[in-house]
Amino acid sequence: MLGRVNHIALAVPDLAAAVESYRATLGATVTEPQALPEHGVTVVFVLLPNTKVELLEPLGQQSPIAAFLAKNPDGGMHHICYEVDDILAARDSLVASGARILGDGHPKIGAHGKPVLFLHPKGFFGTLIELEQV
Ligand code: CO
């Protein structure tokens, strides 16, 4: 079911400071901020030779990462995103296996304009998993 790691996501309390740190201290190429109101986050991507790192900052009052940052005020690893060929087939197989899909079970459009789903961390050893159809 799983393909490549599409990205690893880090929640950060101050996106501008995180971008500056990745650019200036780590010498990385970082994309321009993209607001995703439907997901309650503003994102940038750190572009690496083999994958990407997504830096997430809360957007709006209902941000799904606000509680995470309340528990981890310095920021931290929030989720890992794996690529799948067919997100609906993956979802149906996961649901049949008893996995919990977050939200209403319908894919949303993610930061790359592709359908994404999130799997509850309780079913996967404490790590939130995002699936992205590529
Ligand atoms: Co993500």
Side-chain angles (χ1 to χ4, degrees):
M1 181 186 300
L2 299 183
R4 292 156 42 98
V5 171
N6 183 274
H7 59 269
I8 295 160
L10 311 181
V12 300
D14 181 340
L15 189 60
V19 167
E20 174 62 15
S21 178
Y22 269 82
R23 282 189 179 139
T25 309
L26 296 171
T29 300
V30 184
T31 63
E32 291 305 310
Q34 186 183 356
L36 300 175
E38 191 187 355
H39 294 274
V41 292
T42 302
V43 307
V44 300
F45 286 94
V46 179
L47 305 179
L48 302 172
N50 62 338
T51 190
K52 298 180 282 287
V53 170
E54 179 181 52
L55 303 178
L56 301 167
E57 180 184 62
L59 175 64
Q61 300 302 311
Q62 304 295 323
S63 176
I65 66 170
F68 179 92
L69 282 169
K71 276 184 246 161
N72 304 275
D74 294 331
M77 186 182 150
H78 185 261
H79 66 266
I80 184 164
C81 178
Y82 300 114
E83 297 180 353
V84 295
D85 288 330
D86 182 335
I87 202 161
L88 295 177
R91 176 197 63 191
D92 293 346
S93 163
L94 286 158
V95 168
S97 306
R100 272 175 65 194
I101 312 291
L102 295 191
D104 62 9
H106 295 291
K108 287 186 181 177
I109 298 302
H112 305 111
K114 307 269 180 62
V116 301
L117 281 175
F118 286 89
L119 311 181
H120 199 288
K122 275 215 173 0
F124 295 99
F125 316 98
T127 298
L128 177 62
I129 292 176
E130 179 179 16
L131 299 179
E132 180 174 311
Q133 180 172 293
V134 292

